[in-house]
Amino acid sequence: MLIGELAERAGTSPRTLRYYEEHGLIHPSRDANGYRQYDDGELRVVHEIRALLADGYGVDDIKPFVACLRAGNSSGHVCPDSAAVLRRRLAEVDGFLDQLTAVRHRLQTQLEEIKCQMTP
C-alpha cells in the first residue's frame, strides 16, 4: 500500500509516517517510481508506535518494541529489551506518583489549615 493508504488506515498523516521512517521505526520499500510501498505488517507496527507515543514513550524507547514485533513476536513488549524499557518506565511512573502524592498531601494540609482558621 502507498503512504496515503497506510496513513488513512493507521489514523495518522503521511508526514508522521515519514517522521517514523526518518527515525528507523518503519521500513517501506520503494517501487519503480520511487513511491514508498508498505506491507500490512507496517500497519501493525504503526499502531504499536502510536499506542506507545500516546503512553508517553519517546522515539528511542519505542525502538525495542518495534524490533520485537519485527522478530515475529505477537506483541512488542515480550522481548528482553522491551521489558527493560517497561521496567524503567514503571520506575519513572512510580516516582511521579510519589511526587503527586506529596503535593496532594501538602494541598490537603493547607486546606485543613484554612478550614481551622475559618471556624470560630
Side-chain angles (χ1 to χ4, degrees), residues 27-107:
H27 305 285
S29 60
R30 298 282 182 156
D31 66 14
N33 294 330
Y35 292 116
R36 291 172 174 86
Q37 289 287 335
Y38 299 90
D39 61 33
D40 288 334
E42 292 302 304
L43 178 61
R44 186 168 156 235
V45 170
V46 172
H47 283 303
E48 180 88 2
I49 292 166
R50 290 176 50 78
L52 291 165
L53 287 171
D55 286 344
Y57 289 86
V59 171
D60 288 336
D61 287 337
I62 292 171
K63 289 178 181 180
F65 295 88
V66 171
C68 190
L69 284 175
R70 291 195 189 288
N73 294 289
S74 60
S75 178
H77 69 273
V78 299
C79 296
D81 290 343
S82 302
V85 173
L86 291 171
R87 281 190 290 279
R88 184 181 49 74
R89 185 78 172 133
L90 181 59
E92 290 172 1
V93 168
D94 286 342
F96 294 143
L97 288 173
D98 291 344
Q99 290 174 342
L100 288 172
T101 299
V103 169
R104 186 183 192 289
H105 178 72
R106 283 192 302 275
L107 293 170

